[in-house]
Amino acid sequence: VLSTDAYCHRHEITVTGDNVPPPFTSFEATGLPSEILREVHNAGFSSPTPIQAQSWPVALQSRDIVAIAKTGSGKTLGYLIPGFIHLKRCHNNSQSGPTVLVLSPTRELATQIQDEAVKFGKSSRISCVCLYGGAPKGPQLRDIDRGADIVVATPGRLNDILEMRRISLHQVSYLVLDEADRMLDMGFEPQIRKIVNEVPARRQTLMYTATWPKEVRKIAADLLINPVQVNIGNVDE
Ligand code: ADP
Ligand code: MG
């Protein structure tokens, strides 16, 4: 078993923030609920990826987080698994709106996130709907009406549905901005800001990004409160 320093050095993990908890270097060390551990074992995963190892203990303290790690590093479960635990802690009624909201730049990525949420969350009875453009609204509106714990959405479509007043975000307390750099590159900043205005200020906000340019720093400074920053490898600016 490696010490925290040796583990962080080996996996090129650097953190900034006050009293950052040490990474979870194995699934067993996470104290995750058994139904979630069963799913990660079923998926054939042997250990958390570095971004997961360092994100999970921070996110489970209900702190805001900025996580910067390259594509393919396992960021999705980095925020989904603490999101599942957040859901268990809050016991909200999914009929009055989602508790967890994930914003994603594209339909394809949003669908992949939903697939992971369903695969790893179904034994915890977590429900998830996915909202994206380029498809009819009717089925998505019906999915919303059935109620969901988690909504994964592209900013354009979610904003359209908000303007129709067909979804309420008043119960969201765990907000994820995934692939934040790509969302900004695609020009979604105005839609993101409108959506965030509908989410209560008392919330946990998590931002995941592959790069850390100044536009992303700016929106992080506006939307997150005293975040812990986790970097894996060299940060590409
Ligand atoms: P990113 O968002 O950083 O690009 P993903 O979350 O899409 O990365 O994960 C990339 C791949 O790694 C996915 O196929 C995912 O199922 C897999 N994966 C996630 N966590 C682990 C793990 N702990 N061990 C092995 N594979 C994992
Ligand atoms: Mg991703």
Side-chain angles (χ1 to χ4, degrees):
V1 179
L2 291 174
S3 68
T4 295
D5 284 353
Y7 180 87
C8 289
H9 184 76
R10 172 174 296 180
H11 296 286
E12 298 184 83
I13 301 175
T14 53
V15 294
T16 56
D18 306 325
N19 298 315
V20 179
F24 289 149
T25 57
S26 71
F27 286 120
E28 292 65 35
T30 59
L32 289 174
S34 57
E35 60 276 17
I36 296 174
L37 287 176
R38 203 176 324 120
E39 295 302 336
V40 298
H41 283 122
N42 287 344
F45 298 170
S46 52
S47 55
T49 67
I51 193 66
Q52 293 164 0
Q54 187 64 73
S55 288
W56 289 342
V58 173
L60 290 172
Q61 290 181 341
S62 304
R63 295 168 76 175
D64 284 2
I65 179 167
V66 175
I68 309 157
K70 68 181 192 318
T71 301
S73 55
K75 294 191 288 296
T76 315
L77 291 178
Y79 59 78
L80 280 180
I81 286 181
F84 295 163
I85 294 168
H86 178 87
L87 279 165
K88 281 174 163 271
R89 289 173 180 163
C90 30
H91 303 289
N92 282 336
N93 174 3
S94 62
Q95 294 299 322
S96 38
T99 299
V100 171
L101 173 63
V102 180
L103 297 181
S104 169
T106 67
R107 170 181 180 159
E108 187 199 13
L109 288 165
T111 306
Q112 286 170 15
I113 296 162
Q114 187 198 25
D115 291 346
E116 295 249 290
V118 169
K119 178 173 171 192
F120 291 92
K122 71 174 177 301
S123 58
S124 314
R125 309 230 216 144
I126 283 160
S127 56
C128 179
V129 310
C130 194
L131 310 175
Y132 46 77
K137 291 201 184 74
Q140 296 178 3
L141 296 173
R142 283 194 287 280
D143 287 346
I144 294 167
D145 292 343
R146 272 195 290 273
D149 302 307
I150 302 179
V151 165
V152 180
T154 57
R157 176 56 58 100
L158 179 56
N159 222 23
D160 291 348
I161 294 175
L162 277 169
E163 281 171 4
M164 297 166 70
R165 308 183 75 76
R166 291 294 302 272
I167 190 169
S168 164
L169 303 182
H170 77 268
Q171 199 169 245
V172 172
S173 52
Y174 189 98
L175 171 66
V176 181
L177 306 172
D178 192 21
E179 310 260 1
D181 51 353
R182 279 191 70 188
M183 288 200 287
L184 296 187
D185 282 345
M186 291 173 70
F188 281 133
E189 181 163 350
Q191 285 93 335
I192 292 169
R193 288 185 185 275
K194 277 197 203 164
I195 291 163
V196 175
N197 277 335
E198 303 280 320
V199 175
R202 258 180 80 96
R203 63 169 188 258
Q204 183 177 2
T205 311
L206 304 93
M207 179 180 278
Y208 284 74
T209 184
T211 63
W212 189 227
K214 74 170 185 305
E215 300 72 31
V216 182
R217 293 173 199 219
K218 169 84 171 66
I219 198 165
D222 289 348
L223 303 184
L224 280 67
I225 299 174
N226 197 21
V228 171
Q229 186 177 319
V230 177
N231 305 314
I232 311 296
N234 284 327
V235 173
D236 172 10
E237 300 183 359

